[in-house]
Amino acid sequence: MLRTSRYPRPTAILAIALMSASASAGEAPSAAQEFIRALDAPDSAAARRQEAWQKLTESGKAPPRAVAAAVEKARDRAWQRLSQFIGTLQGRKPVAGLRAAVAPHQAKVRDVVNGAAFSKEKLGAAMAPIEKAIDAAAVAMEEAERFKPLSETVHEMETYAAGCGLRIGWNEELRDVLIRLALVAQHAGGAKWRPTLDANRELGACIDPAEHACIERLNIHRILLGLPPAEIDLRLVIAAKKHSEEMAARNYFSHDSPTPELKTPWQRAAREQTKAAAECIAFGSDSGPTAFSQWYYSQGHHKIMLGAGPCVGVGRGGTKWTLLMGGSSMGAPATNKMAAYVRKRYEAGDKPEALLELAKWCAANQLATQARDELQRLLLLAPDNEAAKEALERIRAKKQ
């Protein structure tokens, strides 16, 4: 279900074949070969896989591409099996009746959100039948005998995926949100929305797992109300993240930035080559679903999340959060320079050397604004970095 183009499959398959050939030629299997065998064995047990993974990673070196390719295939299998299992739940009453249970209440909730007398109590009363229905369906899913081993395998494979660089990060909160999203999408949504959800799984692997969880928690809500899921626009993600980071660094909380060229949400989105229709901000949350809940109980923010645009981006800086709606489809992320920039920015983190390389990559790919942003961020972390100072001066001179 979750695809990535980070590792070209033909090259990786060739690497696996070469590793297998060397082992069959009489050489002692390497730690990578042992782990791949543990993944592929029909009778493979989690304990064996985890022991092999520990031996593979104890040196601190990144796993080779062949391992990443094997993990990618194993992760896809795990999600596919879980998805097929969720499909078989159609025979269980709380799941089978989910769409019929929520449909009569969708318009009422939307009327409360858009009405003149909005209140937390009215929203709660309107949502109660929908929440009761989805909670009952989730319980039926979780009580099924096959659910626990399937969900544990998904969690295990996604943890390996994060360790191989196939995704930025992974945690149980994101797992739980994605599984509930799969349940809602199959039994309360529509097949026409699957392309958006598939795209979001790929794009979500490029960002912080808490940000991804926030977006997909929003999409669960949208589908339950009969609305299409919002597609992730990585350009909105990075515009939102930079605003949250600035709010955290400069200790303010406002839609208006004190930096003139970043003053409004529209300016910040335009700098990242996209458009924003509306913005929500929040502070004090450590998790994505909690940030969503803060906006959920505010009428203005709730209206934005349901109707301000087809795409979404969420970015956090510490416990400060920004959500932007608007944007447009990312098209083919594998060939999109801005998508590549966002992935590289998350991978670089706060490491000065990595940020300098990122700035160089941006400059070489005609992303001068982003190169300048990364050099300025680097200098906040390492004020005496002469290479960053010189590179920033060169970019400023070209702009003049």
Side-chain angles (χ1 to χ4, degrees):
M1 292 177 67
L2 184 56
R3 301 287 182 183
T4 177
S5 58
R6 186 179 304 238
Y7 294 104
R9 288 184 183 270
T11 302
I13 291 171
L14 176 60
I16 293 175
L18 290 173
M19 293 175 72
S20 300
S22 66
S24 62
E27 297 179 15
S30 67
Q33 290 167 340
E34 287 286 6
F35 177 70
I36 291 172
R37 288 177 178 177
L39 277 182
D40 293 341
D43 59 346
S44 177
R48 177 187 171 189
R49 295 190 297 265
Q50 290 162 9
E51 181 181 0
W53 176 258
Q54 185 175 358
K55 289 180 180 178
L56 172 65
T57 57
E58 62 187 6
S59 68
K61 295 181 180 179
R65 286 190 174 189
V67 169
V71 167
E72 184 179 34
K73 290 170 63 179
R75 177 185 62 180
D76 288 350
R77 288 196 302 267
W79 274 112
Q80 186 176 19
R81 288 167 181 165
L82 180 60
S83 180
Q84 290 171 345
F85 157 75
I86 292 173
T88 67
L89 296 174
Q90 185 64 36
R92 292 177 175 257
K93 283 187 177 180
V95 179
L98 183 58
R99 183 178 284 105
V102 302
H105 307 284
Q106 293 169 338
K108 183 177 180 180
V109 174
R110 296 197 298 266
D111 288 343
V112 170
V113 172
N114 294 310
F118 175 91
S119 69
K120 181 177 179 180
E121 290 72 24
K122 285 186 176 181
L123 176 62
M127 279 295 299
I130 294 177
E131 291 175 348
K132 182 179 179 181
I134 183 57
D135 286 346
V139 168
M141 174 181 69
E142 292 162 5
E143 288 181 346
E145 184 178 355
R146 294 176 57 206
F147 173 76
K148 185 175 180 180
L150 288 172
S151 64
E152 287 178 346
T153 301
V154 162
H155 183 66
E156 180 190 353
M157 297 306 155
E158 288 288 11
T159 301
Y160 298 148
C164 289
L166 294 173
R167 62 179 311 121
I168 295 301
W170 179 257
N171 56 36
E172 291 184 1
E173 177 182 76
L174 178 56
R175 177 201 62 188
D176 294 344
V177 169
L178 288 177
I179 290 175
R180 183 162 288 211
L181 176 63
L183 176 67
V184 169
Q186 286 203 44
H187 298 289
K192 62 183 178 181
W193 296 335
R194 182 170 179 177
T196 296
L197 296 174
D198 287 346
N200 281 356
R201 290 187 189 101
E202 180 175 354
L203 296 170
C206 303
I207 65 178
D208 181 281
E211 296 163 351
H212 188 193
C214 182
I215 290 170
E216 301 300 24
R217 176 62 186 88
L218 165 60
N219 278 334
I220 290 171
H221 183 55
R222 288 175 63 98
I223 293 172
L224 286 173
L225 295 190
L227 300 172
E231 183 177 341
I232 295 175
D233 181 344
L234 291 178
R235 297 160 298 189
L236 287 180
V237 169
I238 210 63
K241 190 168 188 68
K242 287 180 181 179
H243 185 55
S244 295
E245 289 173 344
E246 186 186 69
M247 287 194 294
R250 302 187 65 171
N251 195 28
Y252 74 92
F253 184 69
S254 173
H255 293 287
D256 292 337
S257 166
T259 305
E261 64 267 27
L262 302 174
K263 184 173 178 59
T264 69
W266 339 124
Q267 287 173 285
R268 296 191 288 271
R271 281 170 57 86
E272 309 302 337
Q273 302 182 13
T274 189
K275 294 181 179 180
E279 180 182 81
C280 302
I281 56 176
F283 72 90
S285 295
D286 290 320
S287 81
T290 304
F292 165 80
S293 295
Q294 290 185 261
W295 296 317
Y296 176 89
Y297 288 111
S298 164
Q299 184 179 24
H301 295 106
H302 205 139
K303 289 170 70 174
I304 286 171
M305 292 192 295
L306 296 187
C311 296
V312 63
V314 171
R316 68 167 176 169
T319 60
K320 292 185 175 178
W321 295 76
T322 302
L323 176 147
L324 286 169
M325 300 293 296
S328 60
S329 175
M330 291 298 298
T335 59
N336 187 304
K337 287 192 297 185
M338 284 301 298
Y341 162 61
V342 174
R343 289 194 298 269
K344 290 177 179 293
R345 189 181 195 272
Y346 276 88
E347 289 168 353
D350 292 332
K351 301 183 289 291
E353 299 83 358
L355 289 175
L356 183 59
E357 290 304 311
L358 173 59
K360 291 178 180 178
W361 180 90
C362 289
N365 283 275
Q366 292 77 50
L367 297 175
T369 296
Q370 287 69 33
R372 185 168 62 252
D373 287 351
E374 300 313 323
L375 289 169
Q376 289 172 339
R377 189 158 69 106
L378 192 165
L379 288 171
L380 287 175
L381 296 168
D384 297 327
N385 191 304
E386 294 299 327
K389 291 179 183 178
E390 293 173 5
L392 188 57
E393 285 302 317
R394 286 196 297 270
I395 290 174
R396 288 171 174 168
K398 285 184 180 180
K399 185 177 180 181
Q400 294 173 357

